[in-house]
């Protein structure tokens, strides 16, 4: 019976109910879309960072990460690679030599990191080969090839097939240099990264540094992030003298970014819920005030306070129950659509997005738990929002409410006094 | 046999600051099957008295026995149950549930009493017939005239099979024809089914039909006249 009254009461003032339901629908949809966008951005950022820079796990000489000096190498790096390759769950492994260098053209020069790679291995781990915009990726056959970014090429004023000179300090601390021909230009979308690295063959760089068979870094991609810690531990056990770190340890800002963005999502959700709670209180208070006489009658004829309270609570919950699925469905539809097509954020700010390492397209992705969290959050909000109006309803005195008055004790007494005076005046005149 | 016994009832509002005496010692007995009108000018205390008899308000002093139960001693929750099972209410503004049909409005109290569906539908039809609005059973209050709504209210008041019906100015919002029809219905119910009715009114049309008229002024009973049996 209470459910029946509550249900029909919702449709009593359709406009008002639709406004509240609209607020819930838009709120839920916007949170889903926001969470989807935020997740999409996190995934894009981390994915880019992993593919182009950090990979999932990296192995270094423990001292190398401090100042990247060439002398802190991993000897017999090819064997390390081969051993890691056999670990279950490892998708791809590459190794490289990394050193700071001076790159010069006939027009300009700049400091940069030179990364010596084994091209056939590197393409399995790094996504740079997918970002070649001119020319080709490095090959294993030709000597002294170099791959530079479009931005570096612009700064050095060089083009494809131009020659540049790299100057290094070898293991003997002597200056050594080599001339390299630009075979390809890349653009990863992350400007900072693009301006800080060039790629050459490991063989070439090792020859110049005098460290054949050595290397500075082993980069590993795994099949499933769920096993990241397990694989990392297994590698660390195998190479106790080497430093084995996962991508969160290599770039702590990734984890920080991830948690901060998630926190922003939660803050938005809380703000929405707060706004919604006041909207619900306002609407339900209006519904109670509009129905004072009716509530008075219900209490007069024998509906107890618990039932009156429940009636208001159920009415509010029904508003949420009707609108929440619509909001969830709209959110699911819109994020699913954009998950397929992507949202072109460069349309908004190409340079800004590149500067922060985001992809051109963001693919919103909403975890299933977000939908459940929203269901719980909206139900809780509706419940909390209904408590005050329901409490107000049961505070009504039936004797006053049946007359439609929602007055305070003082007003009631004042009205009795004026009635009494009127009566006395009327009697004395007659 | 006395149904309602009122002994020395007083009601003072705001007793500690500016006391307003709404009732100043009322003694009254209402027998089963009476058709009584409590009359008096505005502010005389008739509605206060009716509210106290109905357990909607509590007296400051005195005792009130309804069906041999001292309702002054009942807790708020027990009083709600008492009202639900023993008293029928008819209000001046009908006070029907606007989202319910006539039949649902009548059956609603029986749902509160946890009666079975069959029993409810049988009683609802019976009551709709007795107040002459059978054909209005599926209409909502806003689709009915004032007179029809007040008939639904009377049927609702009778639905719980109460010991008596309290009607607070039941004809105040009705035209002459509707008033006359409603009074016919209530008088018939009183005569044929021996239902006790207690009205508060200052409507002469109601006073003329009452079998007993209790006049209150300034919180006191100034006359109590039995017109017919």
């Amino acid at each position: 019976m209470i459910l029946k009254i509550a249900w029909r009461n919702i449709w009593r003032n359709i406009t008002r109910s639709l406004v509240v339901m609209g607020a819930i629908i838009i709120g839920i949809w916007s949170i889903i879309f926001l969470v989807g966008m935020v997740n999409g951005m996190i995934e894009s950022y981390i994915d880019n960072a992993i593919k182009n820079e950090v990979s999932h796990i990296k192995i270094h000489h423990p001292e190398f990460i401090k100042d990247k000096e060439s002398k802190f190498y991993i000897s017999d790096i090819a064997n390390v690679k081969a051993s890691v390759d056999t670990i279950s769950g490892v998708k791809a492994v590459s190794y490289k030599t990394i050193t700071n260098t001076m790159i010069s053209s006939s027009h300009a020069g700049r400091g940069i990191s030179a990364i010596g790679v084994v091209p056939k291995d590197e393409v399995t781990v790094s996504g740079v080969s997918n970002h070649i915009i001119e020319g080709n990726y490095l090959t294993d056959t030709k000597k002294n090839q170099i791959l530079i970014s479009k931005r570096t090429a612009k700064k050095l004023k060089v083009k494809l097939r131009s020659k540049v000179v790299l100057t290094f300090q070898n293991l003997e601390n002597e200056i050594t240099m080599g001339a390299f021909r630009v075979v390809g230009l890349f653009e990863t979308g992350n400007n900072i990264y693009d301006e800080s690295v060039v790629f050459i063959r490991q063989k070439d760089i090792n020859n110049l540094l005098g460290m054949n068979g050595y290397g500075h870094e082993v980069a590993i991609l795994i099949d499933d992030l769920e096993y990241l810690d397990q694989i990392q531990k297994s590698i660390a056990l195998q190479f106790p003298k080497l430093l084995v770190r996962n991508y969160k340890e290599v770039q702590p800002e990734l984890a920080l970014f991830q948690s901060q963005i998630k926190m922003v999502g939660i803050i938005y959700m809380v703000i929405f819920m707060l706004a919604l709670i006041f909207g619900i209180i306002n609407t339900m208070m209006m519904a109670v005030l509009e129905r004072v006489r009716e509530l008075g009658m219900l209490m007069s004829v024998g509906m107890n306070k618990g039932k009156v309270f429940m009636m208001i609570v159920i009415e509010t919950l029904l508003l949420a129950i009707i609108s929440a699925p619509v909001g969830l469905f709209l959110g699911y539809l819109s994020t699913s659509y954009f998950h397929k097509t992507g949202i072109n954020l460069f349309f908004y700010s190409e340079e800004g997005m590149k500067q922060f390492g985001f992809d051109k397209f963001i693919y919103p992705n909403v975890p299933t738990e977000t939908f459940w969290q929203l269901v719980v959050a909206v139900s809780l909000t509706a419940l909390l929002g209904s408590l005050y109006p329901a409490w107000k309803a049961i505070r009504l005195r039936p004797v006053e409410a049946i007359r439609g008055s929602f007055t305070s004790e003082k007003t009631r007494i004042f009205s009795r006094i004026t009635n009494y005076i009127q009566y006395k005046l009327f009697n004395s005149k007659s | 046999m006395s149904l309602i016994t009122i002994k020395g009832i007083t009601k003072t509002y705001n007793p500690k600051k500016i006391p307003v005496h709404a009732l100043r010692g009322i003694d009254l007995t209402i027998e089963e099957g009476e058709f009584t009108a409590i009359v008096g000018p505005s502010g005389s205390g008739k509605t206060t008295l009716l509210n106290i008899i109905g357990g909607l308000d509590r007296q400051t002093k005195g005792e009130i026995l309804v069906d041999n139960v001292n309702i002054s001693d009942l807790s708020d929750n027990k009083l709600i149950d008492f009202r639900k099972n023993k008293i029928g209410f008819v209000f001046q503004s009908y006070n029907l549930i606007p989202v319910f049909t006539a039949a649902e409005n009548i059956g609603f109290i029986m749902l509160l009493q946890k009666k079975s569906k069959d029993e409810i539908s049988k009683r609802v039809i019976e009551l709709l017939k007795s107040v002459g609005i059978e054909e209005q059973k599926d209409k909502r209050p806003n689709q009915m005239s004032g007179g029809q709504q007040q008939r639904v209210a009377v049927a609702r008041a009778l639905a719980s099979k109460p010991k008596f019906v309290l009607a607070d100015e039941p004809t105040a919002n009705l035209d002459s024809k509707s008033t006359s029809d409603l009074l016919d219905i209530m008088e018939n119910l009183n005569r044929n089914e021996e239902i006790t009715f207690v009205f508060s009114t200052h409507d002469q049309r109601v006073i003329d039909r009452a079998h007993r008229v209790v006049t209150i002024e300034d919180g006191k009973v100034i006359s109590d006249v039995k017109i017919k049996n």
Side-chain angles (χ1 to χ4, degrees):
Chain A
M1 171 193 59
I2 292 176
L3 190 69
K4 198 182 209 177
I5 301 183
W7 173 255
R8 292 200 189 163
N9 275 335
I10 290 176
W11 307 113
R12 199 161 153 175
N13 190 331
I14 293 176
T15 315
R16 192 175 57 211
S17 296
L18 285 180
V19 168
V20 181
M21 289 195 282
I24 297 174
I25 291 168
I26 292 170
I28 290 178
W29 171 81
S30 61
I31 285 183
I32 290 175
F33 200 75
L34 183 81
V35 170
M37 281 294 289
V38 164
N39 266 333
M41 284 170 89
I42 294 172
E43 280 171 10
S44 149
Y45 182 80
I46 292 176
D47 216 38
N48 277 347
I50 287 170
K51 274 185 195 160
N52 302 330
E53 301 169 54
V54 282
S55 59
H56 288 131
I57 298 170
K58 279 189 169 179
I59 308 174
H60 295 105
H61 185 288
E63 296 296 319
F64 179 77
I65 58 162
K66 289 180 189 163
D67 46 19
K68 290 195 174 173
E69 277 194 52
S70 297
K71 63 182 178 186
F72 300 120
Y73 52 77
I74 302 169
S75 50
D76 207 8
I77 198 161
N79 273 345
V80 175
K81 178 207 176 265
S83 298
V84 172
D85 241 344
T86 60
I87 294 171
S88 134
V90 169
K91 189 178 175 186
V93 189
S94 74
Y95 58 95
K96 42 197 118 181
T97 299
I98 303 167
T99 189
N100 292 328
T101 180
M102 173 68 80
I103 184 167
S104 320
S105 69
S106 52
H107 295 282
R110 56 193 283 118
I112 209 156
S113 253
I115 302 177
V117 299
V118 179
K120 71 172 172 50
D121 292 339
E122 187 64 11
V123 292
T124 62
V125 175
S126 164
V128 174
S129 59
N130 300 324
H131 296 287
I132 305 294
I133 52 166
E134 249 183 276
N136 299 303
Y137 192 68
L138 305 174
T139 58
D140 286 312
T141 48
K142 275 188 181 173
K143 266 179 144 185
N144 286 11
Q145 315 156 53
I146 188 166
L147 188 68
I148 64 174
S149 72
K150 189 184 165 190
R151 291 179 75 86
T152 305
K154 201 174 169 187
K155 292 202 167 163
L156 295 175
K157 293 184 181 165
V158 295
K159 292 189 283 190
L160 206 61
R161 286 182 284 281
S162 297
K163 266 195 176 174
V164 291
V165 174
L166 297 183
T167 310
F168 309 93
Q169 193 174 17
N170 68 15
L171 286 181
E172 315 291 308
N173 288 334
E174 288 166 356
I175 299 297
T176 165
M177 57 182 72
F180 290 80
R181 189 172 297 280
V182 178
V183 293
L185 301 179
F186 68 89
E187 189 179 42
T188 63
N190 181 342
N191 293 348
I192 300 168
Y193 179 71
D194 284 5
E195 285 176 23
S196 64
V197 294
V198 293
F199 295 93
I200 54 179
R201 291 193 322 156
Q202 205 222 11
K203 251 183 203 172
D204 300 334
I205 195 170
N206 276 11
N207 282 339
L208 287 162
L209 294 176
M211 48 181 285
N212 282 332
Y214 304 161
H216 294 113
E217 181 177 287
V218 179
I220 301 148
L221 273 190
I222 62 170
D223 289 316
D224 191 342
L225 273 182
E226 210 177 303
Y227 302 107
L228 180 71
D229 291 342
Q230 202 180 315
I231 296 170
Q232 185 187 358
K233 273 181 196 162
S234 157
I235 298 169
L237 273 175
Q238 230 175 314
F239 304 102
K241 287 183 181 169
L242 297 176
L243 183 67
V244 182
R245 295 177 302 160
N246 64 39
Y247 70 94
K248 290 175 193 168
E249 291 162 327
V250 173
Q251 282 200 359
E253 65 270 22
L254 282 183
L256 183 70
F257 179 68
Q258 204 166 1
S259 65
Q260 276 184 340
I261 294 272
K262 273 189 180 164
M263 187 54 73
V264 169
I266 291 169
I267 290 169
Y268 273 120
M269 202 184 279
V270 170
I271 291 170
F272 159 69
M273 294 304 163
L274 278 176
L276 187 61
I277 212 166
F278 285 109
I280 287 174
I281 289 173
N282 181 45
T283 305
M284 292 314 294
M285 269 312 290
M286 280 173 69
V288 167
L289 292 174
E290 204 174 67
R291 244 181 275 158
V292 166
R293 198 186 289 270
E294 190 182 320
L295 291 166
M297 180 278 293
L298 291 172
M299 289 191 270
S300 300
V301 300
M303 188 185 255
N304 62 39
K305 289 185 176 185
K307 284 200 169 91
V308 173
F309 191 90
M310 281 309 292
M311 187 177 77
I312 305 292
V313 171
I314 289 172
E315 196 173 320
T316 319
L317 286 177
L318 282 175
L319 283 172
I321 288 168
I322 298 166
S323 40
V326 180
L328 291 169
F329 183 65
L330 285 179
Y332 171 77
L333 271 189
S334 53
T335 47
S336 299
Y337 173 76
F338 286 114
H339 184 71
K340 281 180 192 157
T341 60
I343 298 170
N344 188 349
L345 283 186
F346 281 15
F347 182 72
Y348 170 64
S349 167
E350 181 168 356
E351 276 312 300
M353 297 310 288
K354 274 186 183 176
Q355 202 69 40
F356 284 103
F358 290 110
D359 255 343
K360 184 175 183 178
F361 282 91
I362 296 295
Y363 298 91
N365 186 19
V366 186
T368 317
E369 65 258 29
T370 302
F371 289 94
W372 291 113
Q373 281 166 359
L374 272 168
V375 169
V376 173
V378 169
S379 309
L380 267 179
T381 307
L383 182 66
L384 288 174
S386 68
L387 295 181
Y388 180 67
W391 181 74
K392 275 294 208 189
I394 60 167
R395 296 259 299 163
L396 289 170
R397 296 181 71 226
V399 65
E400 287 172 359
I402 45 174
R403 293 176 178 278
S405 80
F406 192 32
T407 52
S408 67
E409 183 78 356
K410 279 180 188 169
T411 320
R412 197 165 53 77
I413 290 159
F414 179 74
S415 133
R416 287 213 151 265
I417 293 169
T418 50
N419 270 348
Y420 180 72
I421 293 168
Q422 273 175 355
Y423 172 65
K424 282 288 174 194
L425 283 174
F426 174 76
N427 269 1
S428 64
K429 273 181 189 170
S430 62
Chain B
M1 189 187 164
S2 66
L3 179 64
I4 303 163
T5 309
I6 298 163
K7 293 176 189 169
I9 290 283
T10 66
K11 175 71 182 175
T12 308
Y13 292 102
N14 202 25
K16 285 176 187 166
K17 292 178 184 172
I18 315 159
V20 177
H21 304 287
L23 298 176
R24 299 163 183 258
I26 303 260
D27 291 298
L28 193 67
T29 303
I30 292 167
E31 306 290 329
E32 260 185 54
E34 278 191 9
F35 199 66
T36 304
I38 296 172
V39 302
S42 282
S44 60
K46 57 185 189 301
T47 299
T48 303
L49 178 62
L50 220 66
N51 288 337
I52 291 171
I53 296 172
L56 295 172
D57 207 352
R58 289 187 188 269
Q59 69 274 25
T60 310
K61 275 185 192 166
E63 200 176 65
I64 176 159
L65 297 167
V66 176
D67 197 26
N68 293 322
V69 175
N70 187 345
I71 63 167
S72 329
D73 294 342
L74 296 178
S75 67
D76 282 349
N77 282 337
K78 283 195 173 160
L79 202 53
I80 288 172
D81 276 343
F82 188 83
R83 287 203 299 262
K84 182 166 69 189
N85 298 313
K86 304 273 181 177
I87 309 171
F89 289 92
V90 177
F91 304 102
Q92 182 180 332
S93 313
Y94 332 129
N95 288 19
L96 300 176
I97 302 171
V99 292
F100 274 4
T101 62
E104 286 169 335
N105 264 291
I106 297 166
F108 154 76
I109 290 181
M110 285 183 277
L111 279 172
L112 287 177
Q113 290 177 313
K114 294 181 180 152
K115 297 265 169 72
S116 72
K117 274 191 179 177
D118 284 350
E119 198 180 343
I120 292 171
S121 44
K122 220 184 252 179
R123 178 95 177 125
V124 166
I125 291 168
E126 194 181 293
L127 287 165
L128 281 166
K129 269 186 195 167
S130 67
V131 295
I133 47 163
E134 220 180 340
E135 68 285 2
Q136 312 289 331
K137 71 180 171 74
D138 294 323
K139 286 190 179 166
R140 288 196 179 184
N142 62 356
Q143 297 165 316
M144 291 187 277
S145 68
Q148 286 169 334
Q149 287 186 58
Q150 197 61 305
R151 288 190 204 193
V152 175
V154 170
R156 179 185 64 189
L158 296 170
S160 61
K161 295 190 174 170
K163 281 281 172 186
F164 63 97
V165 173
L166 288 176
D168 186 12
E169 312 223 15
T171 56
N173 294 334
L174 300 182
D175 57 33
S176 300
K177 170 83 172 70
S178 299
T179 299
S180 173
D181 290 347
L182 186 76
L183 288 169
D184 285 345
I185 289 165
M186 294 200 284
E187 215 170 0
N188 282 337
L189 287 164
N190 172 255
R191 192 182 307 121
N192 303 333
E193 297 181 30
E194 293 187 344
I195 292 164
T196 310
F197 280 89
V198 181
F199 310 96
S200 82
T201 186
H202 48 219
D203 184 342
Q204 196 55 48
R205 296 167 298 185
V206 181
I207 299 167
D208 290 345
R209 304 279 285 268
H211 303 172
R212 181 183 173 189
V213 178
V214 178
T215 309
I216 296 182
E217 262 188 33
D218 198 14
K220 288 178 187 165
V221 175
I222 56 162
S223 75
D224 184 353
V225 181
K226 283 195 179 177
I227 297 162
K228 56 183 172 182
N229 282 317

